[in-house]
PDB file of all heavy atoms in Angstrom:
ATOM      1  N   ILE M  49       4.162  15.973  14.079  1.00  0.00           N
ATOM      2  CA  ILE M  49       4.509  14.764  15.028  1.00  0.00           C
ATOM      3  C   ILE M  49       5.859  14.213  14.641  1.00  0.00           C
ATOM      4  O   ILE M  49       6.729  13.819  15.358  1.00  0.00           O
ATOM      5  CB  ILE M  49       3.324  13.730  14.759  1.00  0.00           C
ATOM      6  CG1 ILE M  49       2.146  14.377  15.472  1.00  0.00           C
ATOM      7  CG2 ILE M  49       3.741  12.454  15.450  1.00  0.00           C
ATOM      8  CD1 ILE M  49       0.814  13.422  15.191  1.00  0.00           C
ATOM      9  N   LEU M  50       5.996  14.076  13.221  1.00  0.00           N
ATOM     10  CA  LEU M  50       7.456  13.559  12.865  1.00  0.00           C
ATOM     11  C   LEU M  50       8.550  14.365  13.092  1.00  0.00           C
ATOM     12  O   LEU M  50       9.604  13.946  13.593  1.00  0.00           O
ATOM     13  CB  LEU M  50       7.301  13.194  11.291  1.00  0.00           C
ATOM     14  CG  LEU M  50       6.447  12.003  10.900  1.00  0.00           C
ATOM     15  CD1 LEU M  50       6.017  12.109   9.396  1.00  0.00           C
ATOM     16  CD2 LEU M  50       7.106  10.662  11.268  1.00  0.00           C
ATOM     17  N   VAL M  51       8.423  15.683  12.976  1.00  0.00           N
ATOM     18  CA  VAL M  51       9.482  16.664  13.120  1.00  0.00           C
ATOM     19  C   VAL M  51       9.798  16.676  14.543  1.00  0.00           C
ATOM     20  O   VAL M  51      10.982  16.682  15.100  1.00  0.00           O
ATOM     21  CB  VAL M  51       9.138  18.022  12.613  1.00  0.00           C
ATOM     22  CG1 VAL M  51      10.245  18.966  12.976  1.00  0.00           C
ATOM     23  CG2 VAL M  51       8.868  18.104  11.045  1.00  0.00           C
ATOM     24  N   ASP M  52       8.838  16.689  15.543  1.00  0.00           N
ATOM     25  CA  ASP M  52       9.063  16.551  16.853  1.00  0.00           C
ATOM     26  C   ASP M  52       9.761  15.284  17.392  1.00  0.00           C
ATOM     27  O   ASP M  52      10.616  15.418  18.237  1.00  0.00           O
ATOM     28  CB  ASP M  52       7.678  16.655  17.707  1.00  0.00           C
ATOM     29  CG  ASP M  52       6.973  18.056  17.626  1.00  0.00           C
ATOM     30  OD1 ASP M  52       7.767  19.030  17.324  1.00  0.00           O
ATOM     31  OD2 ASP M  52       5.947  18.240  17.984  1.00  0.00           O
ATOM     32  N   HIS M  53       9.386  14.293  16.730  1.00  0.00           N
ATOM     33  CA  HIS M  53      10.118  12.958  17.092  1.00  0.00           C
ATOM     34  C   HIS M  53      11.546  12.787  16.567  1.00  0.00           C
ATOM     35  O   HIS M  53      12.411  12.519  17.260  1.00  0.00           O
ATOM     36  CB  HIS M  53       9.189  11.949  16.626  1.00  0.00           C
ATOM     37  CG  HIS M  53       9.682  10.474  17.028  1.00  0.00           C
ATOM     38  ND1 HIS M  53       9.491   9.954  18.252  1.00  0.00           N
ATOM     39  CD2 HIS M  53      10.356   9.573  16.345  1.00  0.00           C
ATOM     40  CE1 HIS M  53      10.043   8.811  18.366  1.00  0.00           C
ATOM     41  NE2 HIS M  53      10.597   8.477  17.169  1.00  0.00           N
ATOM     42  N   PHE M  54      11.576  13.193  15.364  1.00  0.00           N
ATOM     43  CA  PHE M  54      12.961  12.932  14.702  1.00  0.00           C
ATOM     44  C   PHE M  54      13.948  14.088  14.677  1.00  0.00           C
ATOM     45  O   PHE M  54      15.124  13.993  14.440  1.00  0.00           O
ATOM     46  CB  PHE M  54      12.792  12.392  13.276  1.00  0.00           C
ATOM     47  CG  PHE M  54      12.280  10.940  13.259  1.00  0.00           C
ATOM     48  CD1 PHE M  54      11.094  10.707  12.747  1.00  0.00           C
ATOM     49  CD2 PHE M  54      13.147   9.952  13.474  1.00  0.00           C
ATOM     50  CE1 PHE M  54      10.485   9.368  12.757  1.00  0.00           C
ATOM     51  CE2 PHE M  54      12.615   8.534  13.444  1.00  0.00           C
ATOM     52  CZ  PHE M  54      11.422   8.366  13.107  1.00  0.00           C
ATOM     53  N   GLY M  55      13.368  15.298  14.898  1.00  0.00           N
ATOM     54  CA  GLY M  55      14.088  16.547  14.818  1.00  0.00           C
ATOM     55  C   GLY M  55      14.205  17.120  13.327  1.00  0.00           C
ATOM     56  O   GLY M  55      13.766  16.431  12.499  1.00  0.00           O
ATOM     57  N   GLU M  56      14.746  18.351  13.333  1.00  0.00           N
ATOM     58  CA  GLU M  56      14.677  19.082  12.043  1.00  0.00           C
ATOM     59  C   GLU M  56      15.542  18.392  11.081  1.00  0.00           C
ATOM     60  O   GLU M  56      15.513  18.816   9.952  1.00  0.00           O
ATOM     61  CB  GLU M  56      15.216  20.528  12.358  1.00  0.00           C
ATOM     62  CG  GLU M  56      14.270  21.229  13.345  1.00  0.00           C
ATOM     63  CD  GLU M  56      13.567  22.427  12.918  1.00  0.00           C
ATOM     64  OE1 GLU M  56      14.197  23.154  11.995  1.00  0.00           O
ATOM     65  OE2 GLU M  56      12.390  22.687  13.403  1.00  0.00           O
ATOM     66  N   LYS M  57      16.448  17.417  11.447  1.00  0.00           N
ATOM     67  CA  LYS M  57      17.274  16.748  10.513  1.00  0.00           C
ATOM     68  C   LYS M  57      16.544  16.112   9.392  1.00  0.00           C
ATOM     69  O   LYS M  57      17.010  15.756   8.375  1.00  0.00           O
ATOM     70  CB  LYS M  57      18.258  15.862  11.152  1.00  0.00           C
ATOM     71  CG  LYS M  57      17.790  14.631  11.864  1.00  0.00           C
ATOM     72  CD  LYS M  57      18.719  13.653  12.258  1.00  0.00           C
ATOM     73  CE  LYS M  57      18.146  12.375  12.798  1.00  0.00           C
ATOM     74  NZ  LYS M  57      17.568  12.383  14.110  1.00  0.00           N
ATOM     75  N   ILE M  58      15.233  15.801   9.626  1.00  0.00           N
ATOM     76  CA  ILE M  58      14.451  15.109   8.683  1.00  0.00           C
ATOM     77  C   ILE M  58      13.806  16.070   7.652  1.00  0.00           C
ATOM     78  O   ILE M  58      12.942  15.591   6.824  1.00  0.00           O
ATOM     79  CB  ILE M  58      13.406  14.096   9.148  1.00  0.00           C
ATOM     80  CG1 ILE M  58      12.453  14.926  10.083  1.00  0.00           C
ATOM     81  CG2 ILE M  58      13.982  12.981   9.944  1.00  0.00           C
ATOM     82  CD1 ILE M  58      11.094  14.189  10.299  1.00  0.00           C
ATOM     83  N   LEU M  59      14.174  17.361   7.755  1.00  0.00           N
ATOM     84  CA  LEU M  59      13.593  18.283   6.766  1.00  0.00           C
ATOM     85  C   LEU M  59      14.516  18.655   5.692  1.00  0.00           C
ATOM     86  O   LEU M  59      15.788  18.799   5.952  1.00  0.00           O
ATOM     87  CB  LEU M  59      13.173  19.626   7.584  1.00  0.00           C
ATOM     88  CG  LEU M  59      12.031  19.405   8.551  1.00  0.00           C
ATOM     89  CD1 LEU M  59      11.769  20.758   9.248  1.00  0.00           C
ATOM     90  CD2 LEU M  59      10.892  18.852   7.892  1.00  0.00           C
ATOM     91  N   LEU M  60      13.970  18.914   4.490  1.00  0.00           N
ATOM     92  CA  LEU M  60      14.838  19.492   3.505  1.00  0.00           C
ATOM     93  C   LEU M  60      14.834  21.011   3.622  1.00  0.00           C
ATOM     94  O   LEU M  60      14.017  21.513   4.431  1.00  0.00           O
ATOM     95  CB  LEU M  60      14.120  19.061   2.021  1.00  0.00           C
ATOM     96  CG  LEU M  60      14.070  17.577   1.731  1.00  0.00           C
ATOM     97  CD1 LEU M  60      13.196  17.335   0.482  1.00  0.00           C
ATOM     98  CD2 LEU M  60      15.412  17.007   1.525  1.00  0.00           C
ATOM     99  N   GLU M  61      15.668  21.563   2.773  1.00  0.00           N
ATOM    100  CA  GLU M  61      15.708  23.029   2.893  1.00  0.00           C
ATOM    101  C   GLU M  61      14.447  23.727   2.563  1.00  0.00           C
ATOM    102  O   GLU M  61      14.123  24.730   3.113  1.00  0.00           O
ATOM    103  CB  GLU M  61      16.702  23.568   1.875  1.00  0.00           C
ATOM    104  CG  GLU M  61      18.163  23.614   2.416  1.00  0.00           C
ATOM    105  CD  GLU M  61      19.179  24.106   1.483  1.00  0.00           C
ATOM    106  OE1 GLU M  61      18.723  24.806   0.467  1.00  0.00           O
ATOM    107  OE2 GLU M  61      20.327  23.876   1.650  1.00  0.00           O
ATOM    108  N   ASN M  62      13.611  23.236   1.772  1.00  0.00           N
ATOM    109  CA  ASN M  62      12.146  23.854   1.418  1.00  0.00           C
ATOM    110  C   ASN M  62      11.250  23.412   2.469  1.00  0.00           C
ATOM    111  O   ASN M  62      10.147  23.861   2.387  1.00  0.00           O
ATOM    112  CB  ASN M  62      11.821  23.338  -0.016  1.00  0.00           C
ATOM    113  CG  ASN M  62      11.585  21.907  -0.108  1.00  0.00           C
ATOM    114  OD1 ASN M  62      11.499  21.201   1.031  1.00  0.00           O
ATOM    115  ND2 ASN M  62      11.184  21.421  -1.248  1.00  0.00           N
ATOM    116  N   GLY M  63      11.604  22.797   3.565  1.00  0.00           N
ATOM    117  CA  GLY M  63      10.615  22.547   4.655  1.00  0.00           C
ATOM    118  C   GLY M  63       9.949  21.207   4.521  1.00  0.00           C
ATOM    119  O   GLY M  63       9.235  20.810   5.415  1.00  0.00           O
ATOM    120  N   GLU M  64       9.956  20.563   3.399  1.00  0.00           N
ATOM    121  CA  GLU M  64       9.280  19.308   3.156  1.00  0.00           C
ATOM    122  C   GLU M  64       9.980  18.213   3.882  1.00  0.00           C
ATOM    123  O   GLU M  64      11.301  18.354   4.115  1.00  0.00           O
ATOM    124  CB  GLU M  64       9.171  18.905   1.671  1.00  0.00           C
ATOM    125  CG  GLU M  64       8.673  19.844   0.820  1.00  0.00           C
ATOM    126  CD  GLU M  64       7.128  19.517   0.423  1.00  0.00           C
ATOM    127  OE1 GLU M  64       6.742  18.372   0.576  1.00  0.00           O
ATOM    128  OE2 GLU M  64       6.437  20.353  -0.094  1.00  0.00           O
ATOM    129  N   LEU M  65       9.395  17.106   4.079  1.00  0.00           N
ATOM    130  CA  LEU M  65      10.056  15.956   4.780  1.00  0.00           C
ATOM    131  C   LEU M  65      11.135  15.466   3.669  1.00  0.00           C
ATOM    132  O   LEU M  65      10.783  15.287   2.592  1.00  0.00           O
ATOM    133  CB  LEU M  65       9.210  14.943   5.132  1.00  0.00           C
ATOM    134  CG  LEU M  65       8.184  15.203   6.316  1.00  0.00           C
ATOM    135  CD1 LEU M  65       7.214  13.999   6.621  1.00  0.00           C
ATOM    136  CD2 LEU M  65       8.924  15.394   7.592  1.00  0.00           C
ATOM    137  N   ASN M  66      12.334  15.032   4.396  1.00  0.00           N
ATOM    138  CA  ASN M  66      13.245  14.251   3.522  1.00  0.00           C
ATOM    139  C   ASN M  66      12.726  12.692   3.556  1.00  0.00           C
ATOM    140  O   ASN M  66      13.152  11.983   4.494  1.00  0.00           O
ATOM    141  CB  ASN M  66      14.571  14.423   4.038  1.00  0.00           C
ATOM    142  CG  ASN M  66      15.702  13.687   3.349  1.00  0.00           C
ATOM    143  OD1 ASN M  66      15.395  12.754   2.547  1.00  0.00           O
ATOM    144  ND2 ASN M  66      16.897  14.110   3.490  1.00  0.00           N
ATOM    145  N   ARG M  67      12.049  12.292   2.530  1.00  0.00           N
ATOM    146  CA  ARG M  67      11.369  11.076   2.684  1.00  0.00           C
ATOM    147  C   ARG M  67      12.343   9.907   2.627  1.00  0.00           C
ATOM    148  O   ARG M  67      12.332   8.877   3.403  1.00  0.00           O
ATOM    149  CB  ARG M  67      10.511  10.933   1.432  1.00  0.00           C
ATOM    150  CG  ARG M  67       9.082  10.693   1.672  1.00  0.00           C
ATOM    151  CD  ARG M  67       8.258  11.033   0.489  1.00  0.00           C
ATOM    152  NE  ARG M  67       7.421  12.049   0.885  1.00  0.00           N
ATOM    153  CZ  ARG M  67       6.622  11.873   1.923  1.00  0.00           C
ATOM    154  NH1 ARG M  67       6.416  10.788   2.553  1.00  0.00           N
ATOM    155  NH2 ARG M  67       5.703  12.901   2.129  1.00  0.00           N
ATOM    156  N   PRO M  68      13.301   9.826   1.803  1.00  0.00           N
ATOM    157  CA  PRO M  68      14.298   8.732   1.847  1.00  0.00           C
ATOM    158  C   PRO M  68      14.956   8.578   3.193  1.00  0.00           C
ATOM    159  O   PRO M  68      15.164   7.467   3.735  1.00  0.00           O
ATOM    160  CB  PRO M  68      15.332   9.113   0.770  1.00  0.00           C
ATOM    161  CG  PRO M  68      14.630   9.910  -0.144  1.00  0.00           C
ATOM    162  CD  PRO M  68      13.705  10.804   0.630  1.00  0.00           C
ATOM    163  N   LEU M  69      15.382   9.814   3.712  1.00  0.00           N
ATOM    164  CA  LEU M  69      15.944   9.777   5.173  1.00  0.00           C
ATOM    165  C   LEU M  69      15.038   9.139   6.150  1.00  0.00           C
ATOM    166  O   LEU M  69      15.389   8.418   6.976  1.00  0.00           O
ATOM    167  CB  LEU M  69      16.511  11.248   5.529  1.00  0.00           C
ATOM    168  CG  LEU M  69      17.170  11.187   6.872  1.00  0.00           C
ATOM    169  CD1 LEU M  69      18.431  10.391   7.015  1.00  0.00           C
ATOM    170  CD2 LEU M  69      17.507  12.643   7.231  1.00  0.00           C
ATOM    171  N   LEU M  70      13.793   9.631   6.103  1.00  0.00           N
ATOM    172  CA  LEU M  70      12.814   9.235   6.988  1.00  0.00           C
ATOM    173  C   LEU M  70      12.682   7.736   6.879  1.00  0.00           C
ATOM    174  O   LEU M  70      12.549   7.002   8.004  1.00  0.00           O
ATOM    175  CB  LEU M  70      11.492   9.941   6.726  1.00  0.00           C
ATOM    176  CG  LEU M  70      10.339   9.721   7.629  1.00  0.00           C
ATOM    177  CD1 LEU M  70      10.559  10.187   9.016  1.00  0.00           C
ATOM    178  CD2 LEU M  70       9.051  10.439   7.220  1.00  0.00           C
ATOM    179  N   ALA M  71      12.564   7.207   5.659  1.00  0.00           N
ATOM    180  CA  ALA M  71      12.266   5.837   5.465  1.00  0.00           C
ATOM    181  C   ALA M  71      13.407   5.039   6.017  1.00  0.00           C
ATOM    182  O   ALA M  71      13.295   4.043   6.742  1.00  0.00           O
ATOM    183  CB  ALA M  71      12.125   5.478   4.058  1.00  0.00           C
ATOM    184  N   SER M  72      14.673   5.550   5.895  1.00  0.00           N
ATOM    185  CA  SER M  72      15.847   4.761   6.295  1.00  0.00           C
ATOM    186  C   SER M  72      15.938   4.791   7.759  1.00  0.00           C
ATOM    187  O   SER M  72      16.241   3.851   8.491  1.00  0.00           O
ATOM    188  CB  SER M  72      17.210   5.144   5.524  1.00  0.00           C
ATOM    189  OG  SER M  72      17.683   6.212   6.195  1.00  0.00           O
ATOM    190  N   LEU M  73      15.472   5.884   8.407  1.00  0.00           N
ATOM    191  CA  LEU M  73      15.447   6.016   9.977  1.00  0.00           C
ATOM    192  C   LEU M  73      14.536   5.071  10.537  1.00  0.00           C
ATOM    193  O   LEU M  73      14.827   4.362  11.426  1.00  0.00           O
ATOM    194  CB  LEU M  73      15.168   7.389  10.410  1.00  0.00           C
ATOM    195  CG  LEU M  73      16.327   8.429  10.258  1.00  0.00           C
ATOM    196  CD1 LEU M  73      15.715   9.860  10.535  1.00  0.00           C
ATOM    197  CD2 LEU M  73      17.547   8.177  11.104  1.00  0.00           C
ATOM    198  N   ILE M  74      13.432   4.903   9.810  1.00  0.00           N
ATOM    199  CA  ILE M  74      12.365   4.034  10.281  1.00  0.00           C
ATOM    200  C   ILE M  74      12.603   2.572  10.129  1.00  0.00           C
ATOM    201  O   ILE M  74      12.603   1.755  11.043  1.00  0.00           O
ATOM    202  CB  ILE M  74      10.935   4.412   9.802  1.00  0.00           C
ATOM    203  CG1 ILE M  74      10.532   5.711  10.361  1.00  0.00           C
ATOM    204  CG2 ILE M  74       9.876   3.318  10.168  1.00  0.00           C
ATOM    205  CD1 ILE M  74       9.235   6.354   9.705  1.00  0.00           C
ATOM    206  N   PHE M  75      13.055   2.237   8.820  1.00  0.00           N
ATOM    207  CA  PHE M  75      13.332   0.805   8.418  1.00  0.00           C
ATOM    208  C   PHE M  75      14.523   0.265   9.148  1.00  0.00           C
ATOM    209  O   PHE M  75      14.726  -0.977   9.262  1.00  0.00           O
ATOM    210  CB  PHE M  75      13.234   0.703   7.038  1.00  0.00           C
ATOM    211  CG  PHE M  75      11.888   0.836   6.377  1.00  0.00           C
ATOM    212  CD1 PHE M  75      11.683   1.774   5.475  1.00  0.00           C
ATOM    213  CD2 PHE M  75      10.966  -0.097   6.692  1.00  0.00           C
ATOM    214  CE1 PHE M  75      10.325   2.041   4.913  1.00  0.00           C
ATOM    215  CE2 PHE M  75       9.642  -0.064   6.323  1.00  0.00           C
ATOM    216  CZ  PHE M  75       9.348   0.972   5.322  1.00  0.00           C
ATOM    217  N   SER M  76      15.437   1.086   9.575  1.00  0.00           N
ATOM    218  CA  SER M  76      16.759   0.551  10.098  1.00  0.00           C
ATOM    219  C   SER M  76      16.688   0.307  11.518  1.00  0.00           C
ATOM    220  O   SER M  76      17.561  -0.276  12.210  1.00  0.00           O
ATOM    221  CB  SER M  76      17.855   1.438   9.743  1.00  0.00           C
ATOM    222  OG  SER M  76      17.641   2.731  10.509  1.00  0.00           O
ATOM    223  N   ASN M  77      15.447   0.567  12.147  1.00  0.00           N
ATOM    224  CA  ASN M  77      15.408   0.522  13.587  1.00  0.00           C
ATOM    225  C   ASN M  77      14.045   0.017  14.103  1.00  0.00           C
ATOM    226  O   ASN M  77      12.990   0.639  13.943  1.00  0.00           O
ATOM    227  CB  ASN M  77      15.522   2.005  14.101  1.00  0.00           C
ATOM    228  CG  ASN M  77      15.519   1.931  15.686  1.00  0.00           C
ATOM    229  OD1 ASN M  77      15.067   1.089  16.357  1.00  0.00           O
ATOM    230  ND2 ASN M  77      16.233   3.035  16.303  1.00  0.00           N
ATOM    231  N   PRO M  78      14.006  -1.194  14.586  1.00  0.00           N
ATOM    232  CA  PRO M  78      12.763  -1.759  15.055  1.00  0.00           C
ATOM    233  C   PRO M  78      11.944  -0.840  15.954  1.00  0.00           C
ATOM    234  O   PRO M  78      10.731  -0.932  15.858  1.00  0.00           O
ATOM    235  CB  PRO M  78      13.155  -3.112  15.646  1.00  0.00           C
ATOM    236  CG  PRO M  78      14.462  -3.478  15.265  1.00  0.00           C
ATOM    237  CD  PRO M  78      15.127  -2.157  14.928  1.00  0.00           C
ATOM    238  N   GLU M  79      12.482  -0.166  16.943  1.00  0.00           N
ATOM    239  CA  GLU M  79      11.794   0.678  17.757  1.00  0.00           C
ATOM    240  C   GLU M  79      11.094   1.781  17.140  1.00  0.00           C
ATOM    241  O   GLU M  79       9.939   2.131  17.393  1.00  0.00           O
ATOM    242  CB  GLU M  79      12.742   1.259  18.825  1.00  0.00           C
ATOM    243  CG  GLU M  79      12.956   0.252  20.133  1.00  0.00           C
ATOM    244  CD  GLU M  79      13.970   0.751  20.974  1.00  0.00           C
ATOM    245  OE1 GLU M  79      14.218   2.011  21.077  1.00  0.00           O
ATOM    246  OE2 GLU M  79      14.744  -0.070  21.551  1.00  0.00           O
ATOM    247  N   GLU M  80      11.771   2.272  16.105  1.00  0.00           N
ATOM    248  CA  GLU M  80      11.157   3.494  15.290  1.00  0.00           C
ATOM    249  C   GLU M  80      10.060   2.878  14.437  1.00  0.00           C
ATOM    250  O   GLU M  80       9.044   3.565  14.266  1.00  0.00           O
ATOM    251  CB  GLU M  80      12.346   4.103  14.361  1.00  0.00           C
ATOM    252  CG  GLU M  80      13.324   4.768  15.142  1.00  0.00           C
ATOM    253  CD  GLU M  80      12.952   5.952  16.050  1.00  0.00           C
ATOM    254  OE1 GLU M  80      11.688   6.173  16.261  1.00  0.00           O
ATOM    255  OE2 GLU M  80      13.835   6.658  16.416  1.00  0.00           O
ATOM    256  N   GLN M  81      10.244   1.646  14.114  1.00  0.00           N
ATOM    257  CA  GLN M  81       9.158   1.042  13.217  1.00  0.00           C
ATOM    258  C   GLN M  81       7.935   0.769  14.057  1.00  0.00           C
ATOM    259  O   GLN M  81       6.896   1.122  13.573  1.00  0.00           O
ATOM    260  CB  GLN M  81       9.607  -0.277  12.716  1.00  0.00           C
ATOM    261  CG  GLN M  81      10.014  -0.387  11.263  1.00  0.00           C
ATOM    262  CD  GLN M  81      10.459  -1.710  10.917  1.00  0.00           C
ATOM    263  OE1 GLN M  81       9.623  -2.616  11.002  1.00  0.00           O
ATOM    264  NE2 GLN M  81      11.621  -1.977  10.304  1.00  0.00           N
ATOM    265  N   GLU M  82       8.063   0.385  15.284  1.00  0.00           N
ATOM    266  CA  GLU M  82       6.997   0.270  16.232  1.00  0.00           C
ATOM    267  C   GLU M  82       6.357   1.573  16.515  1.00  0.00           C
ATOM    268  O   GLU M  82       5.134   1.644  16.515  1.00  0.00           O
ATOM    269  CB  GLU M  82       7.435  -0.376  17.530  1.00  0.00           C
ATOM    270  CG  GLU M  82       6.517  -1.125  18.345  1.00  0.00           C
ATOM    271  CD  GLU M  82       5.570  -1.995  17.634  1.00  0.00           C
ATOM    272  OE1 GLU M  82       5.937  -2.790  16.751  1.00  0.00           O
ATOM    273  OE2 GLU M  82       4.250  -1.913  18.019  1.00  0.00           O
ATOM    274  N   TRP M  83       7.201   2.606  16.830  1.00  0.00           N
ATOM    275  CA  TRP M  83       6.634   3.982  17.019  1.00  0.00           C
ATOM    276  C   TRP M  83       5.807   4.490  15.945  1.00  0.00           C
ATOM    277  O   TRP M  83       4.683   5.000  16.005  1.00  0.00           O
ATOM    278  CB  TRP M  83       7.794   4.805  17.373  1.00  0.00           C
ATOM    279  CG  TRP M  83       7.347   6.281  17.526  1.00  0.00           C
ATOM    280  CD1 TRP M  83       6.919   6.978  18.730  1.00  0.00           C
ATOM    281  CD2 TRP M  83       7.062   7.295  16.484  1.00  0.00           C
ATOM    282  NE1 TRP M  83       6.432   8.163  18.480  1.00  0.00           N
ATOM    283  CE2 TRP M  83       6.727   8.487  17.106  1.00  0.00           C
ATOM    284  CE3 TRP M  83       7.460   7.404  15.201  1.00  0.00           C
ATOM    285  CZ2 TRP M  83       6.407   9.693  16.394  1.00  0.00           C
ATOM    286  CZ3 TRP M  83       7.184   8.605  14.471  1.00  0.00           C
ATOM    287  CH2 TRP M  83       6.638   9.778  15.057  1.00  0.00           C
ATOM    288  N   SER M  84       6.493   4.217  14.648  1.00  0.00           N
ATOM    289  CA  SER M  84       5.682   4.795  13.472  1.00  0.00           C
ATOM    290  C   SER M  84       4.382   4.063  13.256  1.00  0.00           C
ATOM    291  O   SER M  84       3.389   4.634  12.919  1.00  0.00           O
ATOM    292  CB  SER M  84       6.565   4.586  12.354  1.00  0.00           C
ATOM    293  OG  SER M  84       5.942   4.644  11.216  1.00  0.00           O
ATOM    294  N   LYS M  85       4.409   2.738  13.476  1.00  0.00           N
ATOM    295  CA  LYS M  85       3.212   1.918  13.249  1.00  0.00           C
ATOM    296  C   LYS M  85       2.134   2.408  14.249  1.00  0.00           C
ATOM    297  O   LYS M  85       0.922   2.571  13.698  1.00  0.00           O
ATOM    298  CB  LYS M  85       3.587   0.450  13.603  1.00  0.00           C
ATOM    299  CG  LYS M  85       2.559  -0.432  12.944  1.00  0.00           C
ATOM    300  CD  LYS M  85       2.979  -1.980  13.271  1.00  0.00           C
ATOM    301  CE  LYS M  85       1.773  -2.776  13.543  1.00  0.00           C
ATOM    302  NZ  LYS M  85       2.065  -4.052  14.066  1.00  0.00           N
TER     303      LYS M  85
END
Side-chain angles (χ1 to χ4, degrees):
I49 292 174
L50 286 165
V51 178
D52 285 345
H53 183 78
F54 289 105
E56 305 239 326
K57 67 172 186 286
I58 59 160
L59 295 182
L60 297 169
E61 273 180 19
N62 65 7
E64 302 259 346
L65 292 178
N66 181 341
R67 240 162 241 300
L69 177 61
L70 184 61
S72 79
L73 288 172
I74 291 175
F75 286 115
S76 63
N77 181 336
E79 277 171 27
E80 297 296 13
Q81 258 182 58
E82 197 49 39
W83 175 85
S84 166
K85 199 177 142 190

